[in-house]
Amino acid sequence: MSFGRARFIFGFLVAPIVLYAVYVLYPYGQTAYYSVTDFSGFSPDYSYVGFGNYVELFSDDVFLRALGHNVVVLTVYPVVTILLALFFAFMLNVGGRGDKAGVRGVRGSSVYKFIFFFPQVLSIAIVAVIWRRVFQSNDGGMINSLLMKLGLVDKDKPLLFLAESDSVFPPIHIGNFVFEAPVVLVCLILIAIWGGVGFYLILFSAAMQSIPKDIFEAATLDGATRVQTFFRVTLPLLREHVSVAWVYLGIAALDFYALVVGMTPGPGGGGPNDASQVMSSYMMSNAFRPARFDSFAFACAMGVSIAILTLLFAAAQLRITRSRDKLEF
C-alpha cells in the first residue's frame, strides 16, 4: 500500500518537476553561467572571464542610476499602495454607521470594490494607451488640456510629464549611486499605485471580513474612535496580510519593466535620457538591443544581480516579520 501510494504521488509530481527544471531552473543556471563569460549572444565561441561582468556592472553609470530608480520605486510604491488599500478597505468594511445590528460597512461597498478592482482586468497595453493619452505633453493630453482651459498652463508651454527628465527633488549621491525621482518616474509610480490599490483592497477586505464583528463592537462600546479601532484592532490582526502584500509589491518594484517599456520613450523604454531607466529595462536593452556585441553576458550579469537583490529583499522582509512575531509572543 505504501509503495503504491508513493508511485501514485511520484506519477503526479514527475511531470511538473521535469517541466519546472527544464523551463525554469535550467534557464536560471544557463544565465548564471553566461554571466561569467564573454558570450555575445551571436557567436558560439566564448570564454570564461570570471566576475569581470559584475565588476563592470557596478561601475556602469546607467545601471547605477537605474538601481537608484528602483530604490525610489521600492521606497514609495509599496508604502503608498498598502496605506491606500488599508484605508479604503477599512472605510468600506467598517466605515458605515453603527446601529442595533452592529458596525456596518459603507452602503454599496461591493460596487466600490468593483470600481477599485477594475484596473486589474486591464492589460498593460491598454493601461499604457490610456495613461499616455492622459499625460500627453500637448493640448491633446487630458491633464494639459484641462489646465490650459483653466488658464494654469500656457498652450505654448505644456507640461511634459513622460518626457520630463528633471528630478522632483535634488539627486542624492552616495558614492557612485545616484538616488533621484525624475518626473517621468513619478508618473509611472502613480500609474502603478492606481493599478495596484484595487487588488490589495480586496485582499485586505477579505481579511477584515474574517475578523469577528464582536471585536469591533466591543471597541466601539469601550469608546474607541474609528482611528483608534484601526490602529489598535484592525492593523495588528492584518499584519501577516500586510507582510505578504509588502513582499509582492517589493518584487514588483524591483521589476517595474512593463510600465517603463510600455510608456516611456526610447527603443527599449527608459527615456528620456535614461530618466525612467530601471534595472530590468536596462537589462533587456543590453540583451536584445545591444550597444556593443558583447553585451549579452553583461545583461546576464544584470539578471543574476536582480534575482539576488529580489531574494535578499524577500528574505529580509520575512525575517523581520518572523522576528516581530517572536517578540510579541
Side-chain angles (χ1 to χ4, degrees), residues 47-62:
S47 58
Y48 175 78
V49 297
F51 292 97
N53 288 320
Y54 293 93
V55 174
E56 183 181 358
L57 179 65
F58 286 95
S59 61
D60 186 286
D61 293 336
V62 179

Side-chain angles (χ1 to χ4, degrees), residues 48-94:
Y48 175 78
V49 297
F51 292 97
N53 288 320
Y54 293 93
V55 174
E56 183 181 358
L57 179 65
F58 286 95
S59 61
D60 186 286
D61 293 336
V62 179
F63 178 77
L64 295 178
R65 189 181 183 190
L67 176 58
H69 292 163
N70 275 110
V71 172
V72 172
V73 177
L74 181 61
T75 303
V76 178
Y77 172 48
V79 174
V80 177
T81 301
I82 289 174
L83 289 177
L84 288 176
L86 282 171
F87 172 76
F88 289 126
F90 183 77
M91 294 303 296
L92 291 178
N93 289 277
V94 196

Side-chain angles (χ1 to χ4, degrees), residues 8-25:
F8 176 78
I9 295 174
F10 177 79
F12 272 95
L13 290 180
V14 63
I17 291 175
V18 169
L19 290 173
Y20 185 78
V22 171
Y23 291 105
V24 178
L25 296 181

Side-chain angles (χ1 to χ4, degrees), residues 37 85 93 111 144 158 169 183-184 187 194 197 212-213 226 257 271 308-309 329:
T37 69
N93 289 277
V111 177
N144 270 312
F169 62 79
V183 173
V184 58
C187 292
W194 169 82
V197 166
K213 289 188 177 181
R226 295 299 169 95
Y257 173 75
I308 292 173
L309 290 173
F329 179 76

Side-chain angles (χ1 to χ4, degrees), residues 62-139:
V62 179
F63 178 77
L64 295 178
R65 189 181 183 190
L67 176 58
H69 292 163
N70 275 110
V71 172
V72 172
V73 177
L74 181 61
T75 303
V76 178
Y77 172 48
V79 174
V80 177
T81 301
I82 289 174
L83 289 177
L84 288 176
L86 282 171
F87 172 76
F88 289 126
F90 183 77
M91 294 303 296
L92 291 178
N93 289 277
V94 196
R97 294 184 177 181
D99 54 23
K100 295 181 179 179
V103 178
R104 295 180 179 272
V106 174
R107 180 175 297 178
S109 59
S110 59
V111 177
Y112 292 121
K113 290 177 184 178
F114 172 79
I115 294 172
F116 277 107
F117 189 78
F118 181 72
Q120 290 291 318
V121 305
L122 301 177
S123 69
I124 191 63
I126 296 175
V127 170
V129 170
I130 293 173
W131 284 98
R132 274 205 303 263
R133 187 69 174 177
V134 172
F135 287 127
Q136 192 171 324
S137 40
N138 55 36
D139 57 357

Side-chain angles (χ1 to χ4, degrees), residues 271-324:
N273 301 322
D274 297 317
S276 61
Q277 199 77 260
V278 293
M279 292 186 291
S280 56
S281 63
Y282 189 51
M283 176 191 69
M284 296 297 288
S285 295
N286 276 269
F288 300 108
R289 295 179 177 86
R292 58 183 191 275
F293 289 109
D294 62 344
S295 61
F296 193 86
F298 186 64
C300 289
M302 286 189 211
V304 173
S305 300
I306 294 171
I308 292 173
L309 290 173
T310 304
L311 289 173
L312 289 175
F313 167 79
Q317 175 60 27
L318 293 175
R319 183 68 178 271
I320 292 171
T321 303
R322 291 176 182 176
S323 299
R324 288 177 179 174

